[in-house]
Amino acid sequence: MSTSRRAVLGAALGGAAGAAVGLSATTPAYAASWQQKWAPTATGDGLGAFETVEDDRADSHPAGHPHIYATGDNWRFTMHTVDRDTSTDRQRQEVTGLRTGSGYLKWTQGQTWRITYSMYIPGSLKATTTFTHIMQMKQPGNGTSPIVVQSLRRVNGVQTIELNLPIAGVLVGRTDLEPLHDTWTDVDFQIKVGDGTAGSVRWILKSGSTTVIDRTRTGVDTFLADRVRPKWGIYRSLGDTSGSLQDTYLLLTDLRGYQLG
């Protein structure tokens, strides 16, 4: 990753604590600050950076293993058109959670967390007419509904990237995907974990020094039960009608996790 991209994210994290979702702009800077809790590297931690790894859990494509692995400074998620999840109408290559040397981090009700990272979306990873998620927030456990999804979706034939809060029924924001293909995009995501109307989120995408989108939603539901756990990778439906499903991949780097304390 370039030094300039790290500088952009560093500058964002160095701003006033009042920029955090759920805080008033008049909140004194000393009242709260971001505390770094997670800073893995692909070269040093590999897949040990995550709580779990869901690499072809149905064993549908042994010849393609591994689908998820560290390569240089990046984590790579590879998806082949022949890959199938345990539900055979979809595909899934994902990792979950934030593992540290003492275990894994738990995001619980009332806490505010921030994740920053960079992602490389190749032109072969296209938006689809059905779901293609590249980041989710969920309650751990089988069959639980997603709380937050960052998705690649075709809207009236246009490829977009969007952030949705499914249990709240809220579209946080949406922007064109094609300018972000074949380049690194910085992601800054913040969430206050709250039930009913006690939650909030902020979603920022930057391309170089340009802010592509910056959206905040407050008074929303961001909690089901137990805890919230992030997931990254490619999770997509095979029901696409646009002919966009191809062999593809996703790269992530410079993953960082912060808690507002």
Side-chain angles (χ1 to χ4, degrees):
M1 172 176 224
S2 70
T3 302
S4 60
R5 183 169 290 110
R6 288 193 182 93
V8 168
L9 288 176
L13 287 168
V21 292
L23 292 180
S24 166
T26 61
T27 301
Y30 59 80
S33 61
W34 293 110
Q35 306 296 317
Q36 184 172 285
K37 301 291 187 177
W38 187 58
T41 65
T43 53
D45 299 282
L47 297 182
F50 308 106
E51 184 178 338
T52 69
V53 179
E54 299 174 350
D55 186 330
D56 192 14
R57 59 184 188 173
D59 200 27
S60 67
H61 187 203
H65 288 187
H67 296 81
I68 306 171
Y69 56 92
T71 173
D73 293 332
N74 309 317
W75 287 275
R76 179 181 171 116
F77 303 81
T78 303
M79 184 68 76
H80 309 98
T81 56
V82 298
D83 298 346
R84 296 292 182 271
D85 192 24
T86 49
S87 296
T88 56
D89 64 341
R90 62 197 62 191
Q91 304 176 298
R92 183 197 304 269
Q93 310 291 2
E94 290 183 305
V95 296
T96 76
L98 288 66
R99 183 170 293 281
T100 68
S102 57
Y104 54 85
L105 301 176
K106 296 183 179 181
W107 298 10
T108 57
Q109 195 168 185
Q111 295 180 340
T112 301
W113 288 86
R114 185 177 199 167
I115 292 290
T116 64
Y117 60 96
S118 291
M119 61 182 177
Y120 186 92
I121 304 175
S124 57
L125 182 51
K126 294 179 167 58
T128 56
T129 56
T130 48
F131 68 83
T132 293
H133 303 323
I134 57 173
M135 183 271 283
Q136 300 187 75
M137 304 278 166
K138 299 185 72 176
Q139 172 193 339
N142 293 329
T144 58
S145 299
I147 299 166
V148 178
V149 289
Q150 181 176 250
S151 309
L152 311 181
R153 189 180 303 278
R154 284 188 180 267
V155 179
N156 299 321
V158 177
Q159 295 194 74
T160 73
I161 182 170
E162 64 181 29
L163 191 86
N164 262 292
L165 308 179
I167 62 170
V170 170
L171 173 65
V172 176
R174 176 185 289 149
T175 190
D176 287 348
L177 172 63
E178 291 193 49
L180 305 182
H181 271 147
D182 301 315
T183 188
W184 286 99
T185 301
D186 294 323
V187 182
D188 186 340
F189 175 77
Q190 304 169 37
I191 180 171
K192 181 178 180 182
V193 181
D195 200 16
T197 59
S200 54
V201 298
R202 185 179 184 187
W203 181 52
I204 307 170
L205 298 182
K206 291 187 176 182
S207 181
S209 60
T210 301
T211 299
V212 177
I213 192 168
D214 184 345
R215 295 287 186 273
T216 298
R217 291 298 298 261
T218 60
V220 291
D221 194 351
T222 59
F223 182 76
L224 285 173
D226 185 22
R227 60 187 172 106
V228 174
R229 182 173 67 179
K231 306 183 75 175
W232 295 273
I234 302 174
Y235 177 43
R236 66 183 184 182
S237 166
L238 294 171
D240 173 66
T241 58
S242 67
S244 296
L245 299 178
Q246 301 177 13
D247 288 353
T248 191
Y249 64 95
L250 172 71
L251 298 179
L252 302 181
T253 195
D254 283 353
L255 286 157
R256 299 290 182 266
Y258 304 83
Q259 185 180 5
L260 192 66

